[in-house]
Amino acid sequence: MLEIKNLHVKLEEEDKVILKGVNLTIEPGTVHAIMGPNGSGKSTMSYVLSGRDGYEVTAGSATLDGADLLAMAPEERAAAGLFLAFQYPVEIPGVGNMTFLRTAVNSQRKARGEPEISAGDFLKLVREKAKTLKIDADMLKRPVNVGFSGGEKKRNEILQMAMLEPKMCILDETDSGLDVDAMKLVSDGVNALRDAGRSFLVITHYQRLLDHIKPDVVHIMADGRIIKTGGPELALEVEKNGYADILAEVL
Amino acid sequence: MAAVAQARQTALAARLAALALPEGGVTRAARAAALARVQAMGLPTRRDEYWRYTDPSSLTAPAAAPAALFDAQDEAPIFAALDRLTLVFVDGIFDPEASDPLELSGVEIARLAEADRADLHWAQGLYGVLEAAGQNPVARPLAALNTAAATDGALIRVTAAAARPVHLVYEHKSKTSDVILHHCVKIEPGADLTLLETGPAGARFNKVMEVDVAAGGRFHHVRVQGRDHDRRAATHIFARLAAGALFKSFTLTANGVLTRNEAVIDIAGDDAVAHVAGAALGDGSVGPFLHDDTVFITHGAERGESRQVFKKVLKHGATGVFQGKILVTPGAQKTDGYQISQSLLLDDDCQFLAKPELEIYADDVKCSHGSTTGALDDTALFYLRSRGVAHDEAVGLLVLSFLADAIAEIENETIQAEIVALLEGWLARHRG
């Protein structure tokens, strides 16, 4: 599914190297988690994979089902099946959530040479998916993320994911700012999307999220590299002892 | 200063020499008084305080600069789907064949050009009256010139809730047409009218509209100024609001070499509400673009509410100007005045010049103003693109997002949707 090889990335504006040779392979149908201290490069990796401006790839590659992600515009990556759930979803006043969702769905269909979804089918689909995420009609009508609580914003991200049906989902600290109930709701939404053809990369600071979204593989990232990979028990170890032991062990 | 005064008089003399002033029938006295006013003022020059950002010379020149005719091609006639009464003016001349019969329940409509033949006492009491009152404290010579020289216009008196909106359609068919129209609208107590205006009117357009809203009356105004690249326009709306009256005006401007829209509003009765809004889109790659909104709102009564919401989207060397003033007179307590002017610069070549002014002489009021200028939000753009929305379409959505507050000032949802469709059309044609 996703294959990252020796990825080196620096900030475009300054000579600051963030990723220093990341290697990561994610098989179809699996859930990978990435943990790591602040500033280790986790969010940068999610941005670089989804095509945000401001970063320069100095070496390495990233492919999605063999296609070169780094050569594509952000919208092409999305159409190819990549999705990033933002840590801080953006508010867009004046653009209705429904309009935004339909534009996104149809843009991707258009890019893939598929016909647009009819207004009726779209409405039916969005209502059905919104219901399981406890997103009411009012939230669908409001401008994108404007006046949404932290929990509502994250649920809205998962709704977009459910509507766009990507192959490769990256969740950037989706648990940040969520209370226990909201985390459960969001996790249930993610779990409902798990299937053999879809993979997840879950970036988090806390084991707690991984109680709900059970990972197959856990990676520890530090100083721009993945320094350790293991099973779910690795996250428990981090939760218990912090990163010091792992960092010491690698160094 | 003598040199400036001389320049104003020279410009006026040349302009008047090129005009044939109508006799005017029932408006004769008002026209004579207006001529005296403009003769005392002269025509504006760049050295006038209120023309510092906008060069008036092409608006005051004796003849209109030629403007190529514009084919809107794919665009459907605006507001055609609305049930409305249309009055068509072709290069400033009323076209009865193209217009609907001037009959509408709750509304009396007459032509200014035929005012001498009609019994229009109400128009006699309004024509030039609000314009004259609006000359103080800021001179508006082009409006006085208009009152003296207007050749046609609509005189509209509304006595009840109008059965349908009235739509003034301005067509531009002569490359050198120099159009001077003057409309008067009188909303009687409790009456209600929606007035629509669309089109470029001519190569050069000088328009005055005087709107007198009596107690409890309601006036909604939505205007679309025509996409002709070469057209020039100087327009004035003078409004007077009695107690509990409502006045709401929205203008969409896309393209045009030069547009100066002035709104002069006198909140004369208690509890009156005046909202003025505008969205302007300029793309300098199709020709020079300067859009100027100049607003003066006087709160002369208690508990008045005023809102100014002006947004400009500029690219490829386009220029936006905003001069907005709120004056709160002594005694206009509990006034709620709000003003926002914002520009979105889609590249680095554009400029936005803003001069917000508040002048407050009452002590128990709420007045605020803000002015911003900036580029598109990169994070928002990336957010949309990360969902699969193509770059240009994402820019379009963010432009609509930027304009949303201004568009929201239109109350009628059907009209609002039509304005959004026009904006989407413009954005689709002006990508990159």
Side-chain angles (χ1 to χ4, degrees), chain B residues 32 48 54 97 117 131 151 159-160 188 210 235 250 275 300 359 377 406 420:
Chain B
D48 287 290
T54 302
E97 299 296 314
R117 285 188 261 143
E131 174 263 299
T151 48
T159 53
E188 298 291 358
E210 296 178 280
T235 78
F250 171 89
H275 292 197
E359 196 176 335
D377 178 354
V420 169

Side-chain angles (χ1 to χ4, degrees), chain A residues 50-52 73-75 78 83-84 86 90 92-95 100 103-104 107-108 145 157 160, chain B residues 377-380 382-393 397-398 400-402 404-405:
Chain A
S50 49
R52 186 171 185 158
E75 56 269 31
F83 182 91
L84 170 65
F86 279 49
V90 180
I92 307 179
V95 176
F100 167 58
T103 307
S107 294
Q108 294 203 10
N145 294 325
E157 293 291 286
Q160 291 165 33
Chain B
D377 178 354
D378 284 340
T379 308
F382 172 61
Y383 187 60
L384 291 171
R385 294 179 75 192
S386 78
R387 297 316 183 234
V389 182
H391 178 271
D392 287 349
E393 204 173 346
L397 276 176
L398 293 178
L400 289 176
S401 163
F402 169 75
D405 289 346

Side-chain angles (χ1 to χ4, degrees), chain B residues 357-382:
Chain B
E357 291 179 276
L358 298 182
E359 196 176 335
I360 301 172
Y361 297 101
D363 56 10
D364 184 14
V365 302
K366 193 168 83 180
C367 276
S368 62
H369 69 88
S371 185
T372 67
T373 186
L376 279 179
D377 178 354
D378 284 340
T379 308
L381 188 60
F382 172 61

